[in-house]
């Protein structure tokens, strides 16, 4: 055989090898995934340290979300335009020391539910008697989320109801009922929003309210004058709803100040969350936008500046649907997790894990997307995600809900979706140009992700192994120690699906500690308070949040897993007022109720 | 898009004509596509990672240089490989790095392995991207929307693309394709009941414009005669129409993947027959 012929044979073998590479990669990934599939609790406890059991029905919760039916002009693509509204938020509305659950419904005439914790493992819906059930009446729009905060510092958490329609503020009457105070508060007549958060942006001890619009606020989705309501671009849209920042005046009234303080955007906001990212004592604001880039607003003490591009989080446009903060490396820095869309072979946006770049801080803070390096990039059509230590091993894990529209399993809308999404703005922006759904699915029936943090920069998906096997269209996730056992349970709101309550069983050798904060000079909800726990020569930082994830609010009590035989050093609490409080060697296996010192 | 504007266009036999572009002008195509890339990135941020695009380009050029040296015993000019690499860098969308290197490697290697009568028959990047979409769908998608949905970039690419393609005397290919696509779009709309705007929508996207201006006009992998080119590109549109009726998202890539080489094979077969006939006639 001549050298030329040998070279040609070798090249052919090389070429075949190249063609076989993607197949081999796929098989390798599938084998790794199958290694983690286990079924029973004991195996999961040994391997991963926890197991989640879905107990909603046994706990007395049989809530099924209903989607809205909008203007008939949108009928062909109703599953898409009415694809949000399921939300969950955790609150101890009656201050009995047991967390309760509030969930939204989104069909006209449907009822929201407030599940009171009965202390015996069950819940009872008390929303009707409390006056916050029948909130989706004709002409007022429907609920898409709820966030709780004690805006008048009377010790009881009040309710802001996010809607496509008339937003509502309900005052909590000492846990005995709620009074609607929307008009007195000075809120606008109509906002089509999917996200809102409570935070004290100016540090005056009063909770303010940020609301991010999705559809433009002049659109009544039930009575359309035009079908030109869609985004004018799939990734660069700026024709969404406006943003609102309601400054709490302290007399039950709010003043809208967004433009005055530097927030002016018409991107399609889906999620927002606030945390002090630079150690300035002022909460910065992160907004994840659909059809575009995320926005990060640095808070310079009551005035904001948008630094998305400068910091790196606002350059590559995707479909942001979640904003959650987590100190995932136990180094006192927050990562920001933003969920996006990934569909095999069609659209691989990948979720973002924005990690602070080494050596940057303060006004020079920059982020890089390390989702792939950490193994939490691909989560299907991802929605709500929350960080929390699910196995009490001392590192924050990540629970991700996903799945967009589950209809006919055998027929997909993706072809039509991709066809129009790539078209010119005059085509994509008009709903009448979109082909009819005709019962097809769009990224439906997806497996959820429960990513376990190994503490060394890698997460592995153990969802199937730890009992999370549902394939509903997940939207909102909230983490909460529902039964005061020292473990984080998971509550998931599904679009057109049941509210799921995953009760957590954790290997008993792992220790934990929890903190419940109450502000005095600071807002009484202590939203924005930063708790840094020091143990075993490491530290983990968490912050009390007034809304995080997608359409969700975790329990305001902060839960820390500590691993085996921890050596507890101290906890440092930095209150929103700026006061710093240190507690030396707090006791393990306890919920510590801490009040802000005078 | 690779070899999308191969600098020297072979004139029809018997009509000696000075090539429009001289040797130095081979840089025009790479320069043009680089400008498109930079404009797209600086205005829309189409590249999430410079490193990935660089990886695709470096892999492509390195492999071309090595394989050219081994099999052609010469240092092959890197312009063509650069275009392949940059095409892969623009069109492939993946969160991982390896697909960029692999797609470039498959594209370039295909030129040296899949040869008939000393000609490669697949457009290299079309081959590489189609293979990746087919075999690595869990990791790879192609650019589809990242250039925005606005009128201005569309007009810029249409204008620049038209100028370049017209100067290369290949605008008829693009023209036939666009006309066929539009006709088939309305036909599909009539057949499926979809709004006609949704059927026309893809061609208004910038990615699609790259495909119609450059990939289907690749001189190395299109037939020689003008009439043949018109027939072939019409058949690409027919193939795409059929695939679209089957709801294949990447219909244009796959249509070209199938029709392009088939046309080349037919041309090679006809050339071969013509040569044999000539030999028979020439025999005393």
């Amino acid at each position: 055989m001549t050298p030329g012929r040998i070279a040609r044979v070798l090249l052919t073998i090389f070429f075949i090898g190249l063609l076989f590479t993607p197949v081999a990669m796929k098989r390798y990934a599938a084998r790794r995934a199958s290694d983690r599939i286990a079924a029973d609790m004991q195996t999961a406890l040994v391997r991963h340290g926890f197991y989640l059991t879905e107990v909603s029905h046994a706990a007395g919760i049989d809530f099924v979300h209903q989607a809205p039916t909008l203007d008939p002009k949108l009928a062909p693509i109703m599953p898409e335009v009415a694809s949000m509204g399921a939300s969950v938020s955790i609150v101890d509305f009656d201050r009995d020391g047991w967390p309760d659950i509030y969930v939204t419904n989104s069909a006209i005439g449907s009822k929201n539910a407030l599940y009171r914790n009965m202390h015996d493992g069950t819940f009872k819906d008390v929303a009707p008697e409390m006056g916050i059930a029948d909130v989706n009446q004709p002409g007022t729009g429907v609920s898409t989320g709820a966030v709780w905060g004690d805006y008048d510092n009377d010790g009881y958490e009040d309710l802001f109801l996010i809607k496509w329609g008339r937003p509502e503020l309900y005052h909590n009457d000492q846990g005995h009922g709620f009074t609607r105070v929307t008009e007195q508060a000075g809120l606008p007549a109509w906002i089509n929003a999917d996200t809102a958060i409570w935070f004290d942006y100016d540090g005056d001890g009063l909770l303010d309210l940020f609301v991010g619009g999705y559809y433009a606020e002049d659109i009544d989705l039930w009575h359309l004058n035009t079908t030109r309501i869609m985004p004018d671009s799939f990734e660069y849209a700026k024709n969404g709803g406006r943003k609102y920042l309601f400054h709490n005046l302290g007399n039950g009234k709010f003043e809208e100040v967004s433009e005055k303080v530097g927030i002016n955007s018409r991107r399609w906001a889906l999620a927002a969350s606030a945390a002090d990212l630079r150690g300035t004592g002022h909460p910065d604001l992160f907004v994840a936008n659909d059809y575009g880039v995320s926005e990060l607003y640095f808070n310079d003490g009551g005035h904001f500046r948008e630094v998305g591009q400068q910091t790196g989080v606002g350059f590559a446009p995707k479909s942001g649907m979640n904003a959650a903060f987590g100190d995932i490396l136990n180094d006192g820095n927050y990562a920001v997790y933003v969920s996006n869309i990934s569909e095999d072979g069609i659209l691989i946006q990948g979720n973002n894990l924005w990690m602070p770049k080494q050596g940057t801080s303060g006004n020079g803070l920059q982020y890089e997307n390390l989702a792939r390096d950490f193994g939490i990039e691909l989560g299907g059509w991802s929605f709500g995600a929350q960080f929390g230590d699910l196995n009490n091993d001392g590192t924050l894990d990540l629970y991700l809900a996903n799945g967009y529209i589950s209809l006919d399993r055998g027929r997909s809308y993706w072809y039509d979706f991709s066809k129009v999404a790539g078209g010119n703005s005059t085509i994509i922006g008009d709903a009448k140009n979109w082909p009819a759904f005709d019962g097809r699915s769009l990224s439906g029936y997806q497996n959820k992700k429960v990513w376990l943090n190994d503490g060394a920069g890698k997460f592995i998906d153990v969802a199937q192994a730890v009992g999370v096997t549902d394939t509903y269209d997940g939207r909102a996730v909230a983490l909460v120690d529902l039964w005061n056992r020292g473990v984080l349970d998971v509550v998931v709101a599904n679009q057109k699906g049941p509210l799921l309550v995953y009760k957590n069983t954790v290997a008993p050798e792992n220790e934990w500690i929890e903190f419940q904060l109450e502000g005095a000079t600071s807002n009484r909800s202590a939203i924005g308070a930063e708790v840094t726990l020091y143990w075993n020569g490491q530290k983990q930082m968490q912050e009390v949040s007034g809304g995080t994830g997608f359409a969700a609010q975790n329990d305001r009590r902060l839960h820390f897993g500590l691993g085996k035989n921890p050596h507890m050093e101290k906890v440092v609490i930095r209150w929103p007022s700026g006061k710093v409080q240190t507690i030396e060697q707090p006791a393990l296996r306890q919920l510590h109720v801490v009040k802000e010192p005078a | 898009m690779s070899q999308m504007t191969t600098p020297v266009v072979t004139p029809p036999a018997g009509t000696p004509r000075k090539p429009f572009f001289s040797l130095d002008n081979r840089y025009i195509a790479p320069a043009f596509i680089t400008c498109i890339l930079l404009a797209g990135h600086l205005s829309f941020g189409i590249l999430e990672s410079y490193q990935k695009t660089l990886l695709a380009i470096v892999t492509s050029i390195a492999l071309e240089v090595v394989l050219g040296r081994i099999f052609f015993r010469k240092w092959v000019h890197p312009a063509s490989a650069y275009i392949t690499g940059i095409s892969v860098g623009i069109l492939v969308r993946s969160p991982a790095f390896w697909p960029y290197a692999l797609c470039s490697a498959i594209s370039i290697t295909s030129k040296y392995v899949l040869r008939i009568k000393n000609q490669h028959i697949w457009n290299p990047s079309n081959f590489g991207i189609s293979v990746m979409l087919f075999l690595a769908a869990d990791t790879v998608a192609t650019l589809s929307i990242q250039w925005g949905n606005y009128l201005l970039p569309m007009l810029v690419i249409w204008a620049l693309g038209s100028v370049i393609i017209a100067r290369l005397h290949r605008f008829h290919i693009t023209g036939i394709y666009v006309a066929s696509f539009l006709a088939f779009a309305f036909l599909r709309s009539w057949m499926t009941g979809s709004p006609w705007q949704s059927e026309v929508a893809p061609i208004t996207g910038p990615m699609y414009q790259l495909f119609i201006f450059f990939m289907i006009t690749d001189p190395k992998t299109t037939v020689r005669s003008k009439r043949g080119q018109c027939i072939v590109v019409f058949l690409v549109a027919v193939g795409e129409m059929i695939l679209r009726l089957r709801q294949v998202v990447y219909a244009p890539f796959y249509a070209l993947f199938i029709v392009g080489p088939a046309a080349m094979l037919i041309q090679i077969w006809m050339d071969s027959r013509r040569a044999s006939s000539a030999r028979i006639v020439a025999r005393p």
Side-chain angles (χ1 to χ4, degrees):
Chain A
M1 194 180 279
T2 63
R5 199 166 180 79
I6 291 171
R8 195 153 293 282
V9 169
L10 289 175
L11 182 68
T12 305
I13 293 169
F14 174 66
F15 184 61
I16 292 170
L18 290 175
L19 295 179
F20 190 69
T21 300
V23 181
M25 300 283 279
K26 200 183 293 185
R27 284 188 180 173
Y28 174 69
R31 195 176 305 139
R32 284 193 65 198
S34 66
D35 287 345
R36 294 195 290 273
I37 293 176
D40 66 284
M41 182 187 293
Q42 286 311 316
T43 307
L45 284 174
V46 171
R47 284 187 184 173
H48 309 302
F50 74 113
Y51 189 83
L52 295 166
T53 309
E54 206 290 300
V55 298
S56 55
H57 182 69
I61 296 175
D62 289 296
F63 181 90
V64 177
H65 175 259
Q66 299 171 53
T69 301
L70 308 174
D71 189 295
K73 295 185 196 74
L74 301 174
I77 56 169
M78 193 64 74
E80 182 184 354
V81 289
S83 62
M84 288 173 281
S87 82
V88 56
S89 50
I90 306 299
V91 59
D92 180 8
F93 80 95
D94 52 2
R95 291 189 57 136
D96 64 353
W98 293 75
D100 311 299
I101 305 168
Y102 188 70
V103 287
T104 54
N105 222 330
S106 310
I108 292 292
S110 65
K111 307 282 194 297
N112 293 1
L114 174 62
Y115 286 102
R116 168 180 266 160
N117 194 323
M118 304 306 288
H119 313 177
D120 59 358
T122 66
F123 292 82
K124 181 185 174 193
D125 180 15
V126 296
E129 62 204 74
M130 291 291 156
I132 50 173
D134 193 12
V135 293
N136 303 312
Q137 296 158 1
T140 70
V142 298
S143 305
T144 55
V147 282
W148 297 80
D150 184 3
Y151 74 86
D152 59 352
N153 290 332
D154 67 351
Y156 287 86
E157 301 294 307
D158 308 300
L159 168 65
F160 177 73
L161 194 59
I162 309 164
K163 294 178 80 173
W164 288 355
R166 188 177 70 196
E168 304 283 17
L169 182 63
Y170 288 93
H171 179 261
N172 185 341
D173 303 329
Q174 301 197 312
H176 301 302
F178 290 83
T179 302
R180 187 173 165 275
V181 293
T182 306
E183 278 78 23
Q184 296 93 306
L187 297 180
W190 199 275
I191 308 175
N192 296 308
D194 286 286
T195 184
I197 58 166
W198 290 105
F199 72 140
D200 181 7
Y201 80 93
D202 56 351
D204 63 358
L206 297 167
L207 283 178
D208 311 299
L209 182 66
F210 170 81
V211 183
Y214 190 68
Y215 290 103
E217 61 280 358
D218 58 355
I219 294 172
D220 178 346
L221 290 161
W222 288 264
H223 305 92
L224 293 178
N225 298 319
T226 172
T227 49
R228 293 201 60 81
I229 63 161
M230 303 298 278
D232 57 7
S233 169
F234 189 73
E235 292 198 333
Y236 303 91
K238 289 183 181 173
N239 63 338
R242 60 163 289 192
K243 310 296 165 279
Y244 300 83
L245 182 58
F246 297 107
H247 178 225
N248 189 341
L249 300 176
N251 54 359
K253 294 186 186 307
F254 291 79
E255 178 193 6
E256 205 291 303
V257 296
S258 58
E259 206 159 331
K260 199 157 74 180
V261 301
I263 298 175
N264 189 1
S265 165
R266 278 202 171 271
R267 296 192 188 278
W268 293 62
L270 274 184
S273 198
D276 180 4
L277 300 173
R278 296 171 296 156
T280 60
H282 308 299
D284 304 304
L285 176 65
F286 193 101
V287 183
N289 295 306
D290 201 358
Y291 311 118
V293 295
S294 294
E295 293 165 317
L296 174 57
Y297 293 92
F298 278 170
N299 181 351
D300 294 330
H303 193 273
F304 292 88
R305 59 197 159 94
E306 208 283 303
V307 292
Q309 284 218 5
Q310 173 193 319
T311 55
V313 305
F315 197 72
K318 295 185 179 177
S319 307
M321 288 173 271
N322 183 78
F325 300 106
D327 178 6
I328 60 174
L329 291 178
N330 288 351
D331 62 356
N333 289 306
Y334 289 123
V336 191
Y337 193 68
V338 180
S339 60
N340 298 296
I341 303 170
S342 295
E343 176 70 18
D344 284 3
I346 298 176
L347 183 61
I348 310 282
Q349 290 182 330
N351 297 341
N352 292 344
L353 177 71
W354 294 112
M355 295 286 290
K357 271 189 183 170
Q358 291 271 345
T360 68
S361 61
N363 284 334
L365 181 64
Q366 291 203 317
Y367 288 91
E368 55 188 335
N369 177 20
L370 297 182
R372 180 165 193 84
D373 307 71
F374 280 73
I376 50 177
E377 183 168 50
L378 301 178
W381 194 304
S382 306
F383 268 94
Q386 301 286 8
F387 289 110
D389 191 348
L390 294 169
N391 60 358
N392 284 346
D393 69 346
T395 56
L396 296 178
D397 311 305
L398 182 62
Y399 190 109
L400 173 74
N402 61 12
Y404 189 39
I405 296 166
S406 298
L407 294 170
D408 187 333
R409 281 179 184 272
R411 296 187 304 132
S412 170
Y413 187 72
W414 259 115
Y415 168 75
D416 281 322
F417 187 92
S418 65
K419 202 169 60 180
V420 179
N424 189 260
S425 57
T426 53
I427 294 174
I428 185 177
D430 195 335
K432 74 174 167 48
N433 295 336
W434 288 70
F437 247 79
D438 193 24
R440 288 175 285 176
S441 289
L442 185 60
S443 289
Y445 304 102
Q446 298 196 326
N447 290 324
K448 311 310 152 199
K449 302 288 184 185
V450 180
W451 276 305
L452 204 55
N453 184 352
D454 70 359
K458 282 289 177 195
F459 287 73
I460 56 164
D461 176 26
V462 297
Q464 304 300 308
V466 299
V468 178
T469 55
D470 77 88
T471 57
Y472 297 109
D473 292 335
R475 294 294 180 270
V477 179
L479 303 183
V480 50
D481 181 0
L482 277 175
W483 293 286
N484 295 337
R485 300 173 302 139
V487 301
L488 282 179
D489 306 296
V490 185
V491 187
V492 183
N494 296 297
Q495 186 76 5
K496 295 180 78 175
L499 183 75
L500 300 179
V501 178
Y502 281 105
K503 187 175 184 179
N504 197 354
T505 303
V506 177
E509 61 271 21
N510 283 347
E511 301 287 355
W512 57 274
I513 193 169
E514 292 178 350
F515 297 93
Q516 179 178 327
L517 307 185
E518 185 174 318
T521 313
S522 307
N523 70 85
R524 200 154 171 186
S525 297
I527 288 171
E530 191 178 274
V531 177
T532 308
L533 191 73
Y534 294 79
W535 86 107
N536 292 356
Q538 62 181 328
K539 64 179 178 182
Q540 186 182 106
M541 189 167 72
Q542 293 188 30
E543 189 159 323
V544 180
S545 174
T548 186
F550 171 78
Q553 187 173 16
N554 292 329
D555 191 0
R556 285 202 297 100
R557 299 181 305 183
L558 300 180
H559 171 96
F560 292 82
L562 302 169
K564 294 172 190 165
N565 306 314
H567 171 65
M568 177 58 66
E569 295 160 20
K570 63 180 177 182
V571 60
V572 177
I573 302 168
R574 198 184 70 182
W575 295 88
S577 63
K579 288 176 190 162
V580 177
Q581 183 179 4
T582 303
I583 304 170
E584 298 292 340
Q585 295 189 316
L588 307 180
R589 289 183 172 268
Q590 274 190 28
L591 168 67
H592 296 260
V593 178
V594 184
K595 295 195 176 180
E596 183 179 14
Chain B
M1 194 164 16
S2 174
Q3 286 74 45
M4 63 185 185
T5 50
T6 297
V8 180
V9 179
T10 311
T15 55
R17 194 196 312 167
K18 186 184 173 188
F20 195 90
F21 288 117
S22 66
L23 187 66
D24 288 345
N25 284 342
R26 72 174 64 196
Y27 293 109
I28 286 180
F32 177 54
I33 196 168
T34 304
C35 287
I36 288 179
L37 177 73
L38 287 176
H41 187 57
L42 295 176
S43 57
F44 289 100
I46 62 167
L47 301 177
E48 200 177 339
S49 159
Y50 288 107
Q51 295 95 322
K52 288 172 182 169
T53 306
L54 195 62
L55 177 64
I57 295 169
V58 169
T59 305
S60 187
I61 291 176
L63 210 51
E64 176 92 309
V65 168
V66 170
L67 295 180
R69 187 70 209 158
I70 293 172
F71 292 99
F72 297 149
R73 300 186 188 287
K74 64 177 183 181
W75 298 110
V76 178
H77 195 283
S80 169
Y82 174 78
I83 296 172
T84 297
I86 210 166
S87 304
V88 169
I90 292 176
L91 288 170
V92 167
R93 308 300 289 188
S94 173
F97 274 83
W98 63 266
Y100 291 85
L102 183 64
C103 189
S104 283
I106 290 174
S107 302
I108 295 297
T109 313
S110 74
K111 284 167 60 176
Y112 292 84
V113 174
L114 304 174
R115 298 180 77 84
I116 307 284
K117 303 274 185 190
N118 210 28
Q119 284 186 57
H120 68 272
I121 57 173
W122 264 284
N123 175 295
S125 54
N126 175 244
F127 183 87
I129 288 167
S130 297
V131 165
M132 293 297 286
L133 289 172
F134 193 70
L135 296 178
D138 54 335
T139 319
V140 170
T142 76
L143 175 125
S144 57
I145 46 187
Q146 286 83 345
W147 287 50
N149 305 68
Y150 301 119
L151 195 60
L152 186 61
M154 175 179 152
L155 291 177
V156 168
I157 294 178
W158 273 92
L160 290 176
S162 297
V163 168
I164 294 283
I165 291 302
R167 291 184 69 182
L168 286 165
H169 304 291
R170 305 184 79 75
F171 189 77
H172 57 282
I173 299 177
T174 299
I176 294 281
Y177 183 83
V178 171
S180 306
F181 179 94
L182 291 174
F184 287 134
F186 286 105
L187 181 59
R188 277 196 306 277
S189 174
W190 177 73
M191 289 170 72
T192 64
S194 285
W196 64 266
Q197 294 92 338
S198 72
E199 297 299 339
V200 169
I203 211 166
T204 66
M207 177 213 76
Y208 218 89
Q209 291 149 25
L210 291 176
F211 174 80
I212 62 174
F213 278 120
F214 305 126
M215 194 181 274
I216 57 173
T217 57
D218 172 13
K220 282 279 175 62
T221 51
T222 48
V223 295
R224 277 192 308 277
S225 75
K226 194 169 182 177
R227 187 164 160 235
Q229 289 166 355
C230 294
I231 292 170
V232 169
V233 81
F234 173 75
L235 290 175
V236 171
V238 170
E240 182 187 354
M241 162 78 175
I242 294 167
L243 291 169
R244 284 195 173 280
L245 287 175
R246 302 285 304 165
Q247 304 215 334
V248 176
V249 172
Y250 297 118
F253 291 120
Y254 292 154
L256 180 61
F257 181 89
I258 295 165
V259 175
M264 291 298 290
L265 285 174
I266 290 170
Q267 178 176 267
I268 290 167
W269 175 72
M270 288 172 70
D271 285 350
S272 165
R273 274 183 58 117
R274 233 176 264 130
S276 330
S277 302
R279 276 199 298 274
I280 292 165
V281 170
R283 197 176 294 159

